[in-house]
Amino acid sequence: KYKLSTCSVGGGIMIEKTEPEHVDAPAELSFPPTFSVSEIKNKQRRHLMFMKLKQEKRKLKVALKKKKKKERDALGDKAPPKEVPKTIENQRVYDETTVNPEDEEVAFDEGTDEFSAYFNRLTNPKVLITTCDRPRGRTVRFCNQLATVIPDAHVYYRRGLALKKVIPQCIARGFTYLMVINEDRKVPNGMVLCHLPDGPTAHFKVSSVRLRKEMKRRGKDPTEHSPEVILNNFTTRLGHSMGRLFAALFPHDPQFVGRQVATFHNQRDFIFFRFHRYIFKNEKRVGIQELGPRFTLKLRSLQKGTFDSKFGEYEWVLKRHENDVCRRRFNL
């Protein structure tokens, strides 16, 4: 800092350099335990205080983590096992219908259900894909891309026909599946998947649809090779039925030359579909490349037999308010 003063000789102005005054740093603000940051009225001050508290919590967390790591390194083999973080998945409420692969009753049901002909290699899948009346361009492109994922799939326009009239024609022509894509406001929002000729029929809500052109860093278009199928986390009797429903869409023997994989991953009753191609980088490293499309399914109902909206018998129906009582209870 500099100080201006008047010289006694000649009346001139003299500049003197002075030492800066010592200013005490403001003390850390301490709030009572019941204080909340949201009580601060000033928006900028509230944001700064929130970021400061968040940073302090992060520092404490990192310090505690380092301290635990040092203790574990010091104890060596005598260190206690690591704590498993609590998630909704590992805290899931036990379901009585969870499938045991060695259960004789389950094996008998699988040998006599509607999909037994496929798993006994008596039939080959053949899929008809259609839409609702007057579909928009996005829905049509979604159907065409599904036909490139599922081998031996054929896309036909609906032309205003009722599904009850479409199903007998599909059975007469040897189709084993009827897939109907519904839309709302030009966006695909529903799927009806009917196994022929004896059912069952599943109704799904479709969300998060991403077509190939909308995906970043996607690979080239898929080839005509039959893909491998991965069914993940279908554990209950209902989930087991859904897994067999999806598995019967694809041929029995995948063609490994194509290096393509179709994945149905169930997590919290949401079924995520992804389509990848795996690439061998060297003898030990393998990478994957998503081909698309991708979408998410949510099961709404499962009906016995083929599609019948009036007189059909439902095996399972999603009852929203009853099933949302506990967040740790899942159906699939």
Side-chain angles (χ1 to χ4, degrees), residues 186-213:
K186 304 180 183 181
V187 177
N189 72 329
M191 176 190 295
V192 177
L193 191 58
C194 180
H195 181 258
L196 303 175
D198 300 323
T201 302
H203 178 222
F204 300 94
K205 175 187 175 183
V206 181
S207 60
S208 304
V209 177
R210 296 284 297 275
L211 302 180
R212 292 197 179 106
K213 288 188 177 181

Side-chain angles (χ1 to χ4, degrees), residues 97-113:
T97 62
T98 301
V99 174
N100 183 6
E102 300 178 357
D103 192 350
E104 295 181 358
E105 182 181 356
V106 175
F108 176 78
D109 291 343
E110 290 180 356
T112 57
D113 65 358

Side-chain angles (χ1 to χ4, degrees), residues 62 65 102 115 182 196 206 230 238 274 304:
V62 172
K65 189 175 181 180
E102 300 178 357
F115 308 105
N182 298 318
L196 303 175
V206 181
I230 297 177
L238 179 63
R274 298 291 184 270
K304 289 183 178 181

Side-chain angles (χ1 to χ4, degrees), residues 277-328:
R277 176 186 292 125
Y278 51 90
I279 302 171
F280 294 100
K281 297 182 179 180
N282 52 42
E283 295 180 356
K284 296 182 179 180
R285 296 182 58 192
V286 179
I288 59 174
Q289 187 179 46
E290 188 169 1
L291 304 179
R294 65 163 64 171
F295 54 90
T296 305
L297 301 176
K298 176 75 171 179
L299 182 63
R300 292 302 186 191
S301 64
L302 182 64
Q303 180 182 351
K304 289 183 178 181
T306 56
F307 179 81
D308 190 349
S309 58
K310 290 185 177 180
F311 306 104
E313 180 182 355
Y314 287 87
E315 294 185 25
W316 183 86
V317 178
L318 175 64
K319 298 179 181 178
R320 180 177 178 183
H321 298 290
E322 292 184 8
N323 295 334
D324 290 349
V325 173
C326 180
R327 294 181 60 197
R328 295 183 291 113

